[in-house]
Amino acid sequence: MKTWKKRTKAVHAGTRRSQYNEVSEAIYLTQGFVYDTAEDAEARFIQSGDDEFIYARYGNPTIAMFEDRIAAMEGAEAGFATASGMAAVSGALTSMLRAGDHVVSAKALFGSCLYILEEVLTRFGVEVTFVDGTDLAAWEAAIRPDTKAVFFESVSNPTLEVIDIAAVSKLAHAVGATVVLDNVFATPVFSDAIAQGADVVVYSATKHIDGQGRALGGIILGTREFIRGTVEPYMKHTGGSMSPFTAWMMLKGLETIELRVRAQADTAAMIAAALEADGQLVQVIYPGLETHPQYALTQTQMGSGGTVLSIDAGSQAAAFKLLNALEIITISNNLGDAKSIATHPATTTHQRLSEETRAALGITPGLVRLSIGLEDPDDLLADLRGAIAGL
Ligand SMILES: *Cc1c(COP(=O)(O)O)cnc(C)c1O
């Protein structure tokens, strides 16, 4: 399996077949497992093997298939599946940190990630320093000899800044700090984050991994020692585990993720280039455009601009008019879905932030985030051009 390409692993890695030799992965919708004898029960609680389970909060065969499949795709030794992307972010950080530790984090974060770093960790005595994630000198100045971890989103939401995983990892590793990366926008398809230096990679599986808007889920990936020794004891006792049914949906999502995400990214690139050339908007932000400040880094780090672009319509009124005129693209707040989705971050996902913070992060009143789906690319472009023409 080690020599398989990512696309083959997405279909086959981690498969565990029952005595019936089923083709499609079985859903083990069971919370517990029976032991033949009291001695067997005792032995399993002392030490359980890879295919020995105790309780679904600790692990389950369907969940294990999902964990092993995505770990193989990402080049990680192990994974722990979680109830949501936020259970993965908070579990990865809180399982390894304690009072007195120091963390350096990029400041352009998904709202709930910011809440974990700014409110939760500091409440328990962890010191957090925020930096501009694209500024390597700022990382270097903030990382101290006692820094325990660094945290960032490889592509920030919704302004799509791309952070240099290899360069930040090098600075962190020089002081022995653990690199924890939220890699949602890169997707497992365009990620090579562990080879580039990340120690822990986290995904919200709710996004491209399910990709069809059905369920919440998350995954923490890392070394076997980190996942089994640090994350698993914390997660299994605090309760943020994934359900076996969700794990089955996510397994099915992984089978098609390469085809979906590449098609979505191709359409996003086409739309970004067309809207930029039209020149009717204040700004078109897409990491795959040559005008993007981290275009060169995007090419080497991900090889694609991804499935999301952001556009600036100039004002909140214009953004709302554009959103309300769309006929195919739906107004919602998920991303990575088969259905194209438009979001107005300033009044929804990033509403909680103060106006100054939003301005500092580049979340302007006219900004609209577009998650490109699987519809016909020409239909999507026509939908956007029609809405833009009405401004
Ligand atoms: C959506 C998202 C999360 C949270 O994931 P949930 O599955 O909604 O809990 C975390 N980080 C990023 C970058 C996201 O886009």
Side-chain angles (χ1 to χ4, degrees), residues 208-258:
H208 306 80
I209 295 173
D210 174 30
Q212 289 155 84
R214 298 167 294 195
L216 290 171
I219 183 86
I220 307 169
L221 299 159
T223 62
R224 177 166 283 273
E225 188 191 352
F226 180 75
I227 297 297
R228 297 277 90 86
T230 302
V231 171
E232 185 181 298
Y234 178 86
M235 291 306 300
K236 79 182 189 188
H237 295 304
T238 55
S241 308
M242 180 178 272
S243 120
F245 188 75
T246 300
W248 177 78
M249 275 193 281
M250 297 305 178
L251 271 166
K252 292 288 133 190
L254 286 180
E255 288 183 357
T256 58
I257 193 170
E258 278 264 349

Side-chain angles (χ1 to χ4, degrees), residues 144-316:
R144 313 191 304 224
D146 67 333
T147 300
K148 190 79 188 293
V150 304
F151 179 79
F152 59 101
E153 296 170 13
S154 55
V155 182
S156 73
N157 173 26
T159 49
L160 309 177
E161 292 175 345
V162 182
I163 296 181
D164 190 333
I165 298 170
V168 175
S169 298
K170 206 168 157 203
L171 293 172
H173 291 159
V175 299
T178 302
V179 177
V180 183
L181 175 65
D182 181 336
N183 214 20
V184 164
F185 281 63
T187 82
V189 175
F190 300 130
S191 169
D192 200 14
I194 292 201
Q196 287 157 355
D199 300 298
V200 181
V201 177
V202 170
Y203 287 104
S204 162
T206 317
K207 313 292 166 56
H208 306 80
I209 295 173
D210 174 30
Q212 289 155 84
R214 298 167 294 195
L216 290 171
I219 183 86
I220 307 169
L221 299 159
T223 62
R224 177 166 283 273
E225 188 191 352
F226 180 75
I227 297 297
R228 297 277 90 86
T230 302
V231 171
E232 185 181 298
Y234 178 86
M235 291 306 300
K236 79 182 189 188
H237 295 304
T238 55
S241 308
M242 180 178 272
S243 120
F245 188 75
T246 300
W248 177 78
M249 275 193 281
M250 297 305 178
L251 271 166
K252 292 288 133 190
L254 286 180
E255 288 183 357
T256 58
I257 193 170
E258 278 264 349
L259 298 176
R260 286 185 287 105
V261 164
R262 287 190 190 280
Q264 288 169 256
D266 286 349
T267 307
M270 184 280 281
I271 289 174
L275 295 184
E276 189 176 59
D278 288 351
Q280 301 296 307
L281 294 160
V282 175
Q283 201 184 3
V284 178
I285 307 170
Y286 181 65
L289 285 176
E290 279 179 40
T291 48
H292 190 281
Q294 290 96 36
Y295 171 75
L297 171 64
T298 304
Q299 294 306 306
T300 53
Q301 187 163 291
M302 309 203 304
S304 165
T307 66
V308 178
L309 63 135
S310 291
I311 56 177
D312 195 335
S315 67
Q316 180 175 321

Side-chain angles (χ1 to χ4, degrees), residues 332-333 343-352:
S332 189
N333 36 257
T343 312
H344 186 248
T347 54
T348 60
T349 52
H350 293 69
Q351 188 193 79
R352 201 179 65 85

Side-chain angles (χ1 to χ4, degrees), residues 51-194:
D51 271 314
E52 295 178 337
F53 300 94
I54 292 172
Y55 193 64
R57 177 152 44 73
Y58 295 20
N60 163 293
T62 314
I63 299 169
M65 285 192 267
F66 169 61
E67 291 168 341
D68 289 354
R69 183 167 296 177
I70 186 159
M73 291 175 69
E74 194 70 34
E77 288 174 12
F80 193 95
T82 58
S84 68
M86 284 323 301
V89 171
S90 64
L93 291 169
T94 33
S95 66
M96 66 168 290
L97 295 169
R98 58 190 67 237
D101 283 347
H102 178 241
V103 175
V104 181
S105 171
K107 64 181 178 209
L109 295 179
F110 179 70
S112 303
C113 293
L114 192 62
Y115 178 82
I116 302 287
L117 272 298
E118 208 171 35
E119 307 275 337
V120 180
L121 292 181
T122 52
R123 199 190 297 159
F124 291 94
V126 175
E127 188 193 345
V128 184
T129 307
F130 289 98
V131 296
D132 172 351
T134 61
D135 182 353
L136 287 175
W139 283 104
E140 191 165 12
I143 293 171
R144 313 191 304 224
D146 67 333
T147 300
K148 190 79 188 293
V150 304
F151 179 79
F152 59 101
E153 296 170 13
S154 55
V155 182
S156 73
N157 173 26
T159 49
L160 309 177
E161 292 175 345
V162 182
I163 296 181
D164 190 333
I165 298 170
V168 175
S169 298
K170 206 168 157 203
L171 293 172
H173 291 159
V175 299
T178 302
V179 177
V180 183
L181 175 65
D182 181 336
N183 214 20
V184 164
F185 281 63
T187 82
V189 175
F190 300 130
S191 169
D192 200 14
I194 292 201

